[in-house]
Amino acid sequence: MPADAFPAEVVLRQIEFARGYLDSLIADFTDDEWFAMPAGAPTHLAWQVGHVAMAEYGLCLFRVRGRQPVDLDLMPSAVRKMYSKGSTPDPSPEKNVSPQALRETMAKILHQLQVELPTFTAEQLAEPAEMPYAVEATKMGGLYLCPLHIMLHAGQIGILRRLLGKVPVR
């Protein structure tokens, strides 16, 4: 990456790195394990992945360019509400999105980020934004927060791995 790369391009590379790490953490979970809430764990993998997908969409796409027709396929409102901040993880598979659908949602959102982030302008990203953000109270600040947020949830997934008897990835 050139030293003069546009900050959004740098953030995209950070998101891709964080998502690669998160993908490595979830690769060996069986479908049944996606909803397991070991003793003392207030969450499960499906909620963590759904929440990361919802946040990536919200911080990097919706916040910057508003709702677009493609968003109905990327992030349906029922999914957004199920995994939003303040929602309560439910271990019942019937009350969640399937692991396969969550994996597909994550892939679609990452692809859309790869398509759209390079098109955002410096002026667009300098517009003010409300919390959550990192570094600055702008739309760019939302982009800065995204890879940090992914890694925060990767840590929670790492704990779930250990509580389920899985070996650490790193």
Side-chain angles (χ1 to χ4, degrees):
M1 170 111 0
D4 63 345
F6 184 56
E9 293 172 27
V10 174
V11 171
L12 179 57
R13 296 301 162 280
Q14 291 174 327
I15 291 169
E16 290 169 339
F17 174 84
R19 282 290 303 282
Y21 180 56
L22 188 142
D23 289 347
S24 74
L25 290 171
I26 69 175
D28 65 346
F29 274 79
T30 66
D31 284 359
D32 290 340
E33 289 173 325
W34 275 66
F35 308 104
M37 293 176 72
T43 191
H44 53 70
L45 181 61
W47 189 92
Q48 293 293 320
V49 171
H51 180 75
V52 166
M54 179 276 312
E56 278 183 35
Y57 163 75
L59 290 169
C60 299
L61 296 171
F62 176 75
R63 176 183 275 190
V64 176
R65 45 79 159 153
R67 191 155 329 277
Q68 300 295 315
V70 69
D71 295 353
L72 292 174
D73 183 49
L74 283 178
M75 181 52 55
S77 63
V79 174
R80 191 177 69 252
K81 291 174 186 171
M82 185 178 301
Y83 301 113
S84 66
K85 179 181 176 181
S87 63
T88 302
D90 187 321
S92 172
E94 302 81 35
K95 294 184 180 178
N96 282 277
V97 177
S98 73
Q100 181 60 32
L102 287 170
R103 285 186 197 99
E104 289 170 7
T105 296
M106 292 278 286
K108 287 178 189 177
I109 290 171
L110 180 58
H111 174 75
Q112 199 66 28
L113 293 176
Q114 291 166 329
V115 168
E116 290 193 43
L117 257 63
T119 70
F120 296 157
T121 66
E123 294 77 22
Q124 189 178 19
L125 294 174
E127 293 173 9
E130 295 180 17
M131 276 293 208
Y133 56 80
V135 183
E136 57 189 50
T138 64
K139 292 179 179 181
M140 187 68 216
L143 296 184
Y144 287 139
L145 178 62
C146 187
L148 302 172
H149 183 258
I150 294 168
M151 292 302 282
L152 179 143
H153 287 280
Q156 293 181 47
I157 292 168
I159 291 171
L160 282 172
R161 290 183 60 79
R162 298 303 290 271
L163 290 171
L164 291 169
K166 294 184 176 296
V167 297
V169 170
R170 288 190 181 168

